[in-house]
Amino acid sequence: MKCEFIQYQLGAYTAGELPPESSLIIERHLRTCPDCQAWLEEVQELAQIWQQPDTEPQLDFPDMTADIMNEIRQMPPLYKRQASRMKPKDSRRMMIAHFGVAACIAFCLFQFGVFEHLQTGITHATEIFSSSVDHILKEGKR
């Protein structure tokens, strides 16, 4: 008998769910096959683990939940935190800085001709589309 079939049945054999004739066949095979004997030992070990009551493993991590929650409770409300971060003077400076960066990027794009290539591609696509529409309209009129 092939070992694959025996190994497939070992879980049911260990649980006592097989008919007696199937159990006898498996027992005969196990007497002569060391690989399947090793497989049976692993299945029995797993069965013991599954039968043990659920216990949470004891980890050595400190419980920091209370400390974190205390820190959160001591924080000021969100609207006060946001207001303190953004002062009117800073927001105006940031806006000017953003516009300056945008202007520099636009200048570089114009300098390298990105928009010219984009315009050529759009023009070409528009011409193809309009000629297709004209062709469809002419064919539809006939």
Side-chain angles (χ1 to χ4, degrees), residues 60-77:
D60 221 10
F61 294 117
D63 184 20
M64 300 186 322
T65 307
D67 295 334
I68 293 171
M69 292 307 293
N70 285 333
E71 289 290 326
I72 291 173
R73 285 186 194 103
Q74 292 174 5
M75 291 175 74

Side-chain angles (χ1 to χ4, degrees), residues 15 72 91 99 141:
I72 291 173
S91 65
F99 281 131
K141 289 183 179 178

Side-chain angles (χ1 to χ4, degrees), residues 32-44:
T32 60
C33 182
D35 290 337
C36 289
Q37 290 171 3
W39 194 276
L40 176 65
E41 290 175 13
E42 289 184 33
V43 169
Q44 289 172 338

Side-chain angles (χ1 to χ4, degrees), residues 2-4 6-8 10-11 13-14 25-46:
K2 292 189 176 187
C3 291
E4 294 173 4
I6 297 294
Q7 292 171 359
Y8 180 76
L10 283 179
Y13 172 77
T14 304
I25 294 171
I26 290 175
E27 289 170 2
R28 278 190 219 142
H29 180 80
L30 286 172
R31 285 186 208 131
T32 60
C33 182
D35 290 337
C36 289
Q37 290 171 3
W39 194 276
L40 176 65
E41 290 175 13
E42 289 184 33
V43 169
Q44 289 172 338
E45 289 174 10
L46 286 173

